Amino acid sequence: SSRLSVPADASNPESVVVSVLNVSAALAWQAVLPCKSYRMVWTQDRLNDRQRVVHWDLYSSYYGDNKVERLCDMYSAGKQRVYSSYNKGRIFMPQNAFTDGNFSLVIKDVAESDGGIYSCNLHHHYCHLYETVKIQLDITKKGKEAKQYWDGEKAVLVALQGSTVTLPCVNRNHIWTERHSEEEQQVVHWDRQPPGVPHDRADRLIDLYASGERRSYGPLFVRRKMNITDTAFAVGDFSLRISELESADEGTYSCHLHHHYCGLHERRIYQVSVTEPVREKKVVNLTTHNTAPAVDPSVVRGHNVINVIIPESRIHFFQQLGYILATLLLFLVLLIIVVLVTRKRRQRGYEYNVKKYGEKDVNLKEFTVDTTDLTQYKSEDIRLDYKNNILKEKAEQARSFPAKIIDLDKDFRKEYCK
């Protein structure tokens, strides 16, 4: 892999690229894209008035000892302090330095001993920002030699002895603005740029805030496989973990670190490529333009290219056969279910008809029995094996009509009385 480091530039309002990495991983492996910044480990600013400080130092060889001397310093919420009694009232910084960002050092009655290299040191302890501006001051006794120039490393001022000189140190950038809500100012987000897609149309993957809020974007399976640890802001490790790596995960990933209050805007870029494990496989590139497949794994895949893995021919045949058998089995099961349902409906209809006609026969039988009132006149059972037709006829008449009692004596008596 290659790495390109670009130093952060506070004068650039856009995010600064601090590293570019090429990452290659095998299929089905877990890839980790490292993104560490201890500058993003922010603790609570409980000493806000002592977090911003500026101090001037002097490196001088006038007395032959080549020592560094602290001249003065000033905190954002305090008064400036001059260390030497000789310099009190003679050197000073503007009182509104932390308001307008002008930390220039003014020296009155310049003496020969004031010559040397001055350093203006700007510190923001809470934001871990440290800047130094160096200026060389030379003293001359000739007014025409007074000038100012750049020697390739630092500014050089040639000042007339006994005059007043100003050593410039101006910083009007964001680091000296007033403090805002900490949790809203710190955010980390990861973007992904698929192959063939411009950077301005990259997909947002994750937003992570110092307050603990986390936002994931994209389909559910993407949100499950790409994650950042919950302790990211505690240890300064915002690495993106991609599980179950596949060819569709290729692209350009970028990690963005932002601290709006401190003016931190850094970006780390990763070119991720996915390779196959060491085993025999055939790779066929199929595009949406109906082009012929090419057996060439080194071909650069575009945005509309799908990577298809074709197994060996024998395994492919058994897979197709399994699909066909499964389809036939499913069709057979559906056919059996339809036949069983049809038969069941028919049986229900037959039982209903039989029950209906059975009830009708029972009613007719009961009707016949009720209308035949012969029980009180029947004295003996009538047999069906008769000896002649006369007896048979009498028996049928007895079954059809009730027996009539004839009193012969009564008729005889009537005739006799006459």
Side-chain angles (χ1 to χ4, degrees), residues 205-230:
L205 297 176
I206 296 175
D207 281 336
L208 185 63
Y209 295 86
S211 61
E213 182 182 358
R214 180 188 299 253
R215 299 176 186 175
S216 299
Y217 304 91
L220 181 60
F221 72 92
V222 173
R223 287 179 281 168
R224 287 178 175 176
K225 70 184 301 182
M226 298 186 182
N227 197 13
I228 305 176
T229 178
D230 294 334

Side-chain angles (χ1 to χ4, degrees), residues 26 45 125 132 148 165 245 252 267 338 386 389:
D45 186 6
H125 300 297
T132 298
Q148 180 177 348
V165 66
L245 200 66
T252 303
R267 180 159 41 108
V338 171
Y386 306 106
N389 295 332

Side-chain angles (χ1 to χ4, degrees), residues 55-66:
H55 61 85
W56 279 91
D57 296 336
L58 171 62
Y59 176 80
S60 175
S61 59
Y62 180 77
Y63 297 102
D65 50 4
N66 295 326

Side-chain angles (χ1 to χ4, degrees), residues 58-195:
L58 171 62
Y59 176 80
S60 175
S61 59
Y62 180 77
Y63 297 102
D65 50 4
N66 295 326
K67 67 176 183 179
V68 177
E69 178 187 2
R70 175 66 53 86
L71 298 177
C72 62
D73 58 24
M74 181 170 60
Y75 291 91
S76 57
K79 296 180 179 180
Q80 55 182 296
R81 176 174 50 181
V82 179
Y83 286 84
S84 172
S85 58
Y86 169 73
N87 290 326
K88 288 183 178 179
R90 197 177 73 92
I91 65 173
F92 58 89
M93 288 181 288
Q95 293 295 333
N96 57 349
F98 284 100
T99 303
D100 57 15
N102 184 9
F103 305 93
S104 300
L105 180 66
V106 179
I107 305 176
K108 293 182 177 180
D109 301 327
V110 174
E112 189 176 356
S113 60
D114 293 329
I117 299 177
Y118 291 76
S119 61
C120 174
N121 303 279
L122 304 174
H123 298 289
H124 198 309
H125 300 297
Y126 171 64
C127 291
H128 301 274
L129 298 178
Y130 307 95
E131 298 180 10
T132 298
V133 178
K134 291 185 177 182
I135 301 173
Q136 181 176 335
L137 177 61
D138 294 336
I139 309 301
T140 181
K141 294 181 180 180
K142 299 179 181 180
K144 63 179 182 181
E145 294 180 356
K147 57 182 176 179
Q148 180 177 348
Y149 63 93
W150 180 265
D151 68 353
E153 294 182 356
K154 58 187 176 299
V156 178
L157 274 68
V158 180
L160 181 63
Q161 184 175 355
S163 65
T164 299
V165 66
T166 301
L167 306 183
C169 180
V170 179
N171 188 331
R172 294 187 175 90
N173 290 328
H174 34 256
I175 61 173
W176 307 113
T177 57
E178 292 300 323
R179 181 176 180 271
H180 300 285
S181 176
E182 177 187 1
E183 295 180 349
E184 297 177 358
Q185 298 298 315
Q186 305 173 60
V187 61
V188 174
H189 64 84
W190 277 89
D191 293 342
R192 176 179 177 269
Q193 184 179 337

Side-chain angles (χ1 to χ4, degrees), residues 12 61 100 217 319 342 404:
N12 186 359
S61 59
D100 57 15
Y217 304 91
Q319 287 181 349
T342 304
K404 184 177 180 180

